[in-house]
Amino acid sequence: MAAQFSSKDFRAALSSFATGVTIITARDLKDEPIGMTASSFNSVSMEPPLILWSIAKSALSAPSFTNAEFFAVHVLASDQTEISNKFAIKGEDKFSNINWSQDSNGVPIIDGVSSRFDCKTYAIHEGGDHWIILGEVIEIENNSKRGLVFSEGSYSTTSAIRPNNQIPNELDTGSSLIDELLIYQLARASRQVENLFHKTVDEEELTIPEWRILASLYGNASRSLSELCARTFVDPGVIIDILTRMSIDNLCTLSDTKSEMIITGTNDGMKRVANLFDAARNQENAILTDLNEIERVALIKQLKSIIRTTNN
Amino acid sequence: MAAQFSSKDFRAALSSFATGVTIITARDLKDEPIGMTASSFNSVSMEPPLILWSIAKSALSAPSFTNAEFFAVHVLASDQTEISNKFAIKGEDKFSNINWSQDSNGVPIIDGVSSRFDCKTYAIHEGGDHWIILGEVIEIENNSKRGLVFSEGSYSTTSAIRPNNQIPNELDTGSSLIDELLIYQLARASRQVENLFHKTVDEEELTIPEWRILASLYGNASRSLSELCARTFVDPGVIIDILTRMSIDNLCTLSDTKSEMIITGTNDGMKRVANLFDAARNQENAILTDLNEIERVALIKQLKSIIRTTNN
């Protein structure tokens, strides 16, 4: 059956399903440590305890992983984007300059993760252009650190939300103790403002990555690909798909120079982002309606002071 | 091989791996619409386009799903916690009072989702106490809405973070246009303060759900289970595991009344939360060091005003 959509469409639709980020490690056929970043991890069974992940049949390390008797799944913590990138790059000497040890089966173990599952290979199933690898979990390490998330093309962290069948109480974050902390006032105000803004972005029929890309192009002639990744927090592995879609929608143009792709906003794209910016400004005025001009200026000044003090 | 850990330990370690939330629908053996909430979804293959999810062999609908020729995966949007809960409950009349239609194969389709994958069953694999169901994606709907996430026992939303090998510029959110918006000042201040606070919670060897539970018990004799869920945003399906672990660690005691479980903080638990609260207060003072007392009071007042205006 021929699919009625492209791989790009498929990947774009998948990007709304957030996942944690893992690094899977094992020993290769020559007994050298191998590892790769994977977000295809999930739990399968409680009794016996089984997990699974998938590896492209075309991956260099596929023969090693499908032949390994043991492997380890490391669920990365939110401060581990660097090691995630390191293990996502093909051919890089991945185990240099990181803290690692090995378990009793010789499987490489990486430090500082949120949790780890030491597995014995349980089954391998065919899955199109991937192998699905099932592991029986034989040991667990749980450091309960905040997990790293990959969502809509960017590394992310999560914040708990109030289920929408619960009636929110004014200023009630659930505990008077919590209520007194700046962090919860800040988190709740931020989350509520963000929810409203996301609705506005939805109404303008843009995604958040598209909005960030267009905003980064606004007022500038053009930007290089690496510059755009750094400014939008969108992953280099994902941004090309998004930009290609945006250029088809006539929101930006892409041109190749000798060294790198250059992205330029179109008039259409700049009009869209200007509209959204106006809508956001109107929304902001409505949100700040109870504050006078002096209070608004003071608020921004105080937020900037907090950002400066906590910048690291 | 006997596992050296309990199912509770396994579930706790898995909870640091965030996932999106899906509802899977099909027709049962009597051609009635069926559906269930699942977070075991993941993509498998690009060519052919394959996805997978797992269903407990003991689930009432397992025979129907394993026999269905077609099924649909709905990736839920962040405002769909209610329908997620509805489809997570056994036996509930799930298709009453919701907007649904059906595709050309009769598969029930739910409105308002972030994306949808219409699938033809491709393979079913044994996976311990679950069946692993692979689907070939035959059609896609992508509404690009912000996805719902389940992480550390709570419904959540995600915020993009700056990869930690990038050097942050002071107050540079990537675009001068974005810089001018309150939402980004608020989001960045909130995220940075939150990151610092999470480190403090880590140092006190508590998890965020544990901190929220203890804070909700602080200063009160005791709380019922449902009250605690509502105040901490921790899912009813997960909180029992967490509370059991906490009672073993002597952070709280659990007692059953006729109607519901009652949770009471222990002296140890209350000491831990008081310590954390003190640490958070000290951190807050350091963060607000550039603000005088009048500015601090004004900041809290302004944040409360924003929370009130955006409360919905």
Side-chain angles (χ1 to χ4, degrees), chain A residues 133-165:
Chain A
I133 300 181
L134 268 79
E136 178 168 2
V137 181
I138 50 181
E139 206 168 316
I140 282 175
E141 182 172 290
N142 186 3
N143 302 318
S144 298
K145 292 178 78 174
R146 194 182 192 198
L148 181 63
V149 179
F150 198 74
S151 170
E152 292 179 50
S154 296
Y155 288 120
S156 308
T157 54
T158 59
S159 310
I161 57 170
R162 182 192 304 273
N164 51 15
N165 53 346

Side-chain angles (χ1 to χ4, degrees), chain A:
Chain A
M1 190 172 335
Q4 302 297 302
F5 50 85
S6 69
S7 293
K8 273 196 189 69
D9 296 335
F10 187 36
R11 283 195 296 267
L14 286 169
S15 73
S16 60
F17 185 84
T19 63
V21 182
T22 71
I23 290 177
I24 321 275
T25 57
R27 291 277 172 176
D28 70 7
L29 302 171
K30 294 175 192 159
D31 214 34
E32 295 295 321
I34 51 169
M36 62 179 290
T37 304
S39 58
S40 58
F41 170 78
N42 222 320
S43 66
V44 177
S45 166
M46 284 292 138
E47 189 53 54
L50 301 179
I51 57 84
L52 64 73
W53 68 290
S54 310
I55 184 170
K57 288 178 179 172
S58 62
L60 281 176
S61 54
S64 296
F65 275 113
T66 51
N67 279 288
E69 190 182 352
F70 298 99
F71 64 91
V73 179
H74 304 77
V75 177
L76 298 188
S78 60
D79 58 358
Q80 294 190 297
T81 54
E82 205 166 346
I83 196 167
S84 170
N85 286 335
K86 191 176 175 117
F87 276 78
I89 294 168
K90 220 182 289 189
E92 174 128 339
D93 181 11
K94 296 171 178 176
F95 288 89
S96 64
N97 302 321
I98 66 157
N99 288 323
W100 68 283
S101 51
Q102 57 179 27
D103 71 9
S104 55
N105 298 309
V107 176
I109 284 174
I110 296 166
D111 283 0
V113 301
S114 180
S115 60
R116 196 187 75 237
F117 301 91
D118 296 339
C119 300
K120 188 176 193 306
T121 303
Y122 178 84
I124 293 172
H125 295 301
E126 210 275 333
D129 57 22
H130 279 60
W131 297 113
I132 301 165
I133 300 181
L134 268 79
E136 178 168 2
V137 181
I138 50 181
E139 206 168 316
I140 282 175
E141 182 172 290
N142 186 3
N143 302 318
S144 298
K145 292 178 78 174
R146 194 182 192 198
L148 181 63
V149 179
F150 198 74
S151 170
E152 292 179 50
S154 296
Y155 288 120
S156 308
T157 54
T158 59
S159 310
I161 57 170
R162 182 192 304 273
N164 51 15
N165 53 346
Q166 279 178 27
I167 299 143
N169 300 317
E170 190 176 301
L171 298 183
D172 180 8
T173 55
S175 151
S176 55
L177 186 63
I178 289 180
D179 273 348
E180 286 173 46
L181 289 176
L182 169 73
I183 176 184
Y184 276 98
Q185 301 290 351
L186 206 50
R188 183 161 177 199
S190 170
R191 200 169 49 232
Q192 289 184 185
V193 170
E194 203 174 34
N195 283 345
L196 286 176
F197 180 68
H198 278 255
K199 275 182 200 158
T200 308
V201 177
D202 260 7
E203 280 160 16
E204 297 287 327
E205 297 189 336
L206 290 171
T207 64
I208 294 296
E210 284 169 350
W211 145 251
R212 292 194 72 96
I213 289 168
L214 289 177
S216 296
L217 294 172
Y218 191 80
N220 287 284
S222 43
R223 290 200 186 274
S224 73
L225 189 63
S226 55
E227 215 179 350
L228 210 54
C229 285
R231 283 172 177 273
T232 59
F233 309 164
V234 179
D235 192 72
V238 174
I239 201 165
I240 300 278
D241 269 9
I242 298 174
L243 290 172
T244 307
R245 216 169 50 229
M246 288 173 71
S247 79
I248 292 169
D249 291 347
N250 195 31
L251 296 172
C252 65
T253 60
L254 316 178
S255 62
D256 281 310
T257 64
K258 263 179 209 159
S259 55
E260 221 189 351
M261 184 187 279
I262 300 292
I263 301 94
T264 310
T266 60
N267 285 340
D268 269 18
M270 294 304 98
K271 244 180 247 166
R272 289 280 286 282
V273 74
N275 286 345
L276 182 49
F277 187 67
D278 285 347
R281 274 290 196 198
N282 289 337
Q283 194 173 59
E284 204 164 294
N285 285 332
I287 290 168
L288 299 178
T289 186
D290 290 348
L291 304 185
N292 63 37
E293 190 53 32
I294 293 169
E295 288 172 323
R296 290 188 194 195
V297 171
L299 175 62
I300 297 289
K301 183 187 157 235
Q302 287 146 11
L303 290 175
K304 285 189 179 180
S305 159
I306 292 173
I307 291 170
R308 214 163 25 234
T309 323
T310 55
N311 198 9
N312 53 11

Side-chain angles (χ1 to χ4, degrees), chain A residues 231 307 311, chain B residues 162 166-174 188:
Chain A
R231 283 172 177 273
I307 291 170
N311 198 9
Chain B
R162 181 191 305 273
Q166 279 178 29
I167 299 143
N169 300 316
E170 190 176 301
L171 298 183
D172 180 8
T173 55
R188 183 161 177 199

Side-chain angles (χ1 to χ4, degrees), chain B:
Chain B
M1 190 172 336
Q4 301 298 303
F5 50 86
S6 69
S7 293
K8 273 195 189 69
D9 296 336
F10 187 36
R11 284 196 296 267
L14 286 168
S15 73
S16 60
F17 185 84
T19 63
V21 182
T22 71
I23 290 177
I24 321 275
T25 58
R27 291 277 172 176
D28 71 6
L29 302 171
K30 294 176 190 158
D31 214 34
E32 296 295 321
I34 50 170
M36 63 179 290
T37 303
S39 59
S40 57
F41 170 78
N42 222 320
S43 66
V44 177
S45 166
M46 284 292 138
E47 189 53 55
L50 302 179
I51 57 85
L52 65 72
W53 68 290
S54 309
I55 184 170
K57 289 178 180 173
S58 63
L60 282 176
S61 54
S64 296
F65 275 113
T66 51
N67 280 288
E69 190 182 353
F70 298 99
F71 64 91
V73 179
H74 304 77
V75 177
L76 298 188
S78 60
D79 57 358
Q80 293 191 297
T81 54
E82 204 166 347
I83 196 167
S84 170
N85 286 335
K86 191 177 174 116
F87 277 79
I89 295 169
K90 220 182 289 189
E92 175 127 338
D93 181 11
K94 296 171 177 177
F95 288 89
S96 64
N97 302 321
I98 66 158
N99 288 323
W100 68 283
S101 52
Q102 56 179 26
D103 71 9
S104 55
N105 298 309
V107 176
I109 284 174
I110 296 166
D111 283 359
V113 301
S114 180
S115 60
R116 196 187 75 238
F117 302 90
D118 296 339
C119 299
K120 188 176 193 307
T121 303
Y122 179 84
I124 293 172
H125 294 300
E126 210 274 333
D129 57 22
H130 279 61
W131 297 113
I132 302 165
I133 300 181
L134 268 79
E136 179 168 0
V137 181
I138 50 181
E139 206 168 317
I140 282 175
E141 182 172 290
N142 186 4
N143 302 317
S144 298
K145 291 177 79 174
R146 193 182 193 197
L148 181 63
V149 178
F150 198 74
S151 170
E152 292 179 50
S154 297
Y155 287 119
S156 308
T157 54
T158 60
S159 309
I161 57 170
R162 181 191 305 273
N164 51 15
N165 53 345
Q166 279 178 29
I167 299 143
N169 300 316
E170 190 176 301
L171 298 183
D172 180 8
T173 55
S175 151
S176 56
L177 186 64
I178 289 180
D179 273 348
E180 286 173 45
L181 289 176
L182 169 73
I183 176 184
Y184 276 98
Q185 301 290 352
L186 206 50
R188 183 161 177 199
S190 170
R191 200 169 49 231
Q192 289 184 185
V193 170
E194 204 173 34
N195 283 345
L196 285 176
F197 180 69
H198 278 255
K199 275 181 201 158
T200 307
V201 177
D202 259 7
E203 280 159 16
E204 298 287 327
E205 297 189 336
L206 290 171
T207 65
I208 294 296
E210 285 169 350
W211 145 251
R212 292 194 72 96
I213 288 167
L214 289 177
S216 296
L217 294 172
Y218 192 79
N220 288 284
S222 44
R223 289 200 187 275
S224 73
L225 188 63
S226 56
E227 215 179 350
L228 210 53
C229 286
R231 282 172 177 273
T232 59
F233 308 165
V234 179
D235 192 71
V238 175
I239 201 166
I240 300 278
D241 270 8
I242 299 174
L243 289 172
T244 307
R245 216 168 50 229
M246 288 173 71
S247 79
I248 293 169
D249 291 348
N250 195 31
L251 296 172
C252 65
T253 60
L254 316 177
S255 62
D256 281 311
T257 64
K258 263 179 210 161
S259 55
E260 221 189 351
M261 184 187 278
I262 300 292
I263 301 95
T264 310
T266 60
N267 284 341
D268 269 17
M270 294 305 97
K271 244 180 247 167
R272 289 280 287 282
V273 74
N275 286 345
L276 182 49
F277 187 67
D278 284 347
R281 274 289 195 199
N282 288 337
Q283 194 173 58
E284 204 164 294
N285 285 332
I287 290 168
L288 298 178
T289 186
D290 290 348
L291 304 185
N292 63 37
E293 190 52 32
I294 293 169
E295 288 171 323
R296 290 187 194 196
V297 171
L299 175 62
I300 297 289
K301 183 186 157 234
Q302 287 145 12
L303 290 175
K304 285 189 177 179
S305 159
I306 292 172
I307 291 170
R308 214 162 25 233
T309 322
T310 56
N311 198 9
N312 53 11

